[in-house]
Amino acid sequence: HVSLMMSNELQGLVLPRYDYGGVDPTDDNEAQDKPKERKFPTLVAILYKPRLDALLDCDANIISYDPFSFRMIFGLKGRNFGMICAPLFCLLLWDICWAFALEEELSGTVSVFITSLNGLISPLLTPVSFLLVFRLGRAAVRFWDSRAAFGKLVEICRDIMSTAAVSCKHQHRQDLCDAFARWVCAFPIATKNFLRPDLPCATDVQSRRREIGPLLSVRDAEDILTPVNGGGSMEFIAPIHVLDRIRELAYVLSFDKSDDHQNDHQKGIAIYRQLNGQIDTLCGSWGAMERIAATPLPFVYVVHLRTFLLVYLFLWNLQGIGSNGWRTIPALLAASWALLGIEAAAVECERPYQLHANHLPLGKMCVVVAKNVAQTLNTVGCCLS
């Protein structure tokens, strides 16, 4: 019966001989027209292929590249070019207008005057350069911290599932192990949705429901898909809800007295301390990403940088046109693109949680957690059997 419901993802995987009779009913979003809700064993629900595909699809726009190739320089995708199109177009019009004006000017007095401004324009490059370097450096640090925080989340999901599975193994509590695995797999999904609240897909409940699939019951899925401001007078934060459920299961696992000769109090304290510490680390990783997503670089710094960057570029383009005329326009635009591109790259990396080409593949990380949890269940289950 189980093999008929398994997805292609489970081919070749040795399933543990669990008793899945106590698994809660879960929703199959792929078969909504069926009147009866299908039931999935935990391992099948975690590796349910349509669910994993939906998670991977949410990162479809994120770009990957060959680090050993230079062919990428011939493409525009991933350069955040849309942000700098407007200032580049304005610079082009500026250059063309001044080139026409200076070409029609017969005496050459204006050209000489513009050329003489070089000593006043060049010093602006020094503060602009420092501002750009600091801006890009801070953006790179924030990107690295974001990457490290989600990596820590993946790492702790592995650790906590391993700890819980081994503890359940010796207590013969497969029901706790199954529930723990489902909620651990739900936590990175809740975190991803929390970090991407304003995207079009955030309002597509069906799309996000497919990412959960049969992992959770209908009611639990509706809970973690509740928008941040969708909980009535009190805000409902899905990652907090998932962490609370995991912590509750950790307490039950640690201090369950159904089998006193195997679960003495001291052992329960040790297990709960370890699980609780891992849950605290999960909360800290999510908090680090929340802080990065909610706090861009201060407005005063960004507006100061962009003001003097544009002032410098317009004056520098004017000086270049005054000195060399039409033939300098391509070089001036290329150099302007280089400087504006630094600011565009910094903006792209500053809060890397959206669906831009250079942002973190959060859906892929959710899939990694699911496969790691499934491997732990399979390994510990085989030991049980």
Side-chain angles (χ1 to χ4, degrees):
H1 173 67
V2 172
S3 62
L4 293 177
M5 295 187 298
M6 292 180 60
S7 63
N8 296 332
E9 195 71 27
L10 293 175
Q11 291 183 358
L13 183 64
V14 179
L15 284 174
R17 293 192 290 272
Y18 292 151
D19 177 15
Y20 290 109
V23 178
D24 292 334
T26 52
D27 175 55
D28 178 20
N29 221 44
E30 299 296 319
Q32 295 180 357
D33 54 332
K34 295 185 178 181
K36 187 176 180 180
E37 196 174 41
R38 293 174 61 184
K39 299 179 181 180
F40 286 79
T42 299
L43 199 58
V44 179
I46 291 173
L47 294 179
Y48 188 59
K49 192 173 186 301
R51 188 182 81 83
L52 301 185
D53 289 343
L55 287 168
L56 293 175
D57 288 344
C58 75
D59 294 332
N61 192 48
I62 295 175
I63 195 170
S64 60
Y65 64 95
D66 181 4
F68 300 101
S69 173
F70 279 88
R71 287 181 296 178
M72 67 182 75
I73 67 173
F74 299 106
L76 291 179
K77 184 179 180 181
R79 293 178 180 266
N80 199 12
F81 191 72
M83 176 183 169
I84 61 176
C85 280
L88 276 178
F89 182 71
C90 292
L91 284 168
L92 176 60
L93 292 180
W94 174 266
D95 292 345
I96 292 174
C97 291
W98 275 105
F100 270 119
L102 294 177
E103 190 176 51
E104 296 297 326
E105 198 255 333
L106 300 177
S107 63
T109 305
V110 177
S111 297
V112 173
F113 174 74
I114 291 174
T115 304
S116 67
L117 294 177
N118 182 59
L120 298 176
I121 298 172
S122 296
L124 283 175
L125 181 60
T126 301
V128 168
S129 298
F130 277 116
L131 290 168
L132 283 174
V133 169
F134 180 80
R135 170 81 156 126
L136 187 60
R138 295 311 303 167
V141 169
R142 290 165 65 89
F143 186 91
W144 179 265
D145 289 345
S146 301
R147 181 169 166 264
F150 217 102
K152 175 61 70 173
L153 187 149
V154 174
E155 172 192 339
I156 298 303
C157 285
R158 295 169 180 159
D159 291 344
I160 196 172
M161 191 62 241
S162 179
T163 302
V166 172
S167 300
C168 290
K169 164 188 172 182
H170 292 288
Q171 297 180 37
H172 304 289
R173 290 301 307 272
Q174 187 58 46
D175 57 336
L176 284 178
C177 188
D178 290 346
F180 214 97
R182 290 173 183 265
W183 283 106
V184 167
C185 290
F187 181 68
I189 300 175
T191 302
K192 173 185 71 69
N193 293 341
F194 178 85
L195 295 171
R196 295 175 174 176
D198 300 323
L199 299 180
C201 62
T203 59
D204 185 0
V205 178
Q206 294 300 321
S207 175
R208 291 202 165 183
R209 183 65 184 88
R210 283 192 292 270
E211 296 174 2
I212 299 174
L215 185 65
L216 300 176
S217 67
V218 174
R219 181 176 179 179
D220 289 333
E222 289 176 351
D223 284 343
I224 72 169
L225 291 177
T226 301
V228 171
N229 59 350
S233 59
M234 182 179 296
E235 286 190 343
F236 185 88
I237 311 296
I240 294 178
H241 176 71
V242 178
L243 286 172
D244 290 343
R245 297 298 296 269
I246 296 174
R247 204 180 296 272
E248 183 180 23
L249 288 168
Y251 184 87
V252 174
L253 168 63
S254 303
F255 299 109
D256 179 26
K257 297 299 181 182
S258 61
D259 197 0
D260 289 336
H261 73 277
Q262 289 188 4
N263 294 277
D264 59 87
H265 190 66
Q266 293 300 321
K267 183 188 294 183
I269 292 175
I271 293 173
Y272 185 69
R273 181 182 293 116
Q274 182 173 0
L275 291 174
N276 199 51
Q278 291 167 333
I279 295 170
D280 289 342
T281 305
L282 281 179
C283 187
S285 298
W286 164 53
M289 291 182 282
E290 179 187 21
R291 181 180 66 251
I292 293 172
T295 56
L297 212 61
F299 172 80
V300 62
Y301 186 92
V302 176
V303 71
H304 187 74
L305 165 61
R306 294 183 182 180
T307 298
F308 284 95
L309 174 59
L310 290 178
V311 167
Y312 170 73
L313 288 176
F314 276 98
L315 292 178
W316 182 54
N317 276 251
L318 173 61
Q319 193 264 332
I321 293 295
S323 300
N324 301 289
W326 288 93
R327 61 180 177 272
T328 60
I329 291 181
L332 288 172
L333 286 178
S336 299
W337 183 9
L339 292 176
L340 289 170
I342 296 175
E343 170 66 4
V347 172
E348 186 84 349
C349 299
E350 188 177 26
R351 291 180 286 180
Y353 302 119
Q354 304 300 307
L355 296 178
H356 298 176
N358 297 284
H359 286 185
L360 295 174
L362 304 184
K364 181 179 179 181
M365 295 179 184
C366 296
V367 172
V368 170
V369 169
K371 292 184 176 181
N372 293 162
V373 169
Q375 179 177 337
T376 297
L377 285 177
N378 188 58
T379 303
V380 176
C382 289
C383 293
L384 267 172
S385 61

